[in-house]
Amino acid sequence: MCVLPGKDANEAMNIANCLRQAILSLAIPHAYSSTHSHLTASMGIATTTPEQPLSPDDLLNKADQQLYHAKRRGRNRIEIHERPA
C-alpha cells in the first residue's frame, strides 16, 4: 500500500507506473507463473478528496477491487477506480 497525500489520480497512476517498471527492471525470475517468466506487479488505485470523501475502509476496499480487476485482466497492469466528476 502506498498512501500519497496531496496526489491526484493522474499523479498516483504515474507513481504506480514507475513502481511497476522498477519491479520489471529487476528481472526477478518467476518460476511458478503461468503468465510471466519474471516477477510483475499488478496494482489497484483509489483516491479520495475532501469534496468526495471515502472512509479509510472504503478507500482500501476500492483499491483492492481494482487490484483484483488488474489481475483478472492479465496482470502486470494498473487499474484505477474512476470517481464521478
Side-chain angles (χ1 to χ4, degrees), residues 11-69:
E11 293 168 311
M13 181 64 90
N14 288 337
I15 291 167
N17 270 315
C18 287
L19 291 169
R20 191 181 63 76
Q21 288 296 329
I23 291 166
L24 284 175
S25 73
L26 296 172
I28 299 169
H30 194 320
Y32 302 106
S33 174
S34 62
T35 58
H36 297 283
S37 60
H38 290 85
L39 184 70
T40 63
S42 297
M43 299 179 205
I45 296 174
T47 61
T48 190
T49 64
E51 297 80 22
Q52 294 180 313
L54 287 174
S55 72
D57 286 341
D58 287 342
L59 186 63
L60 185 57
N61 186 41
K62 296 288 184 196
D64 192 51
Q65 288 172 4
Q66 293 308 305
L67 167 61
Y68 283 95
H69 188 168

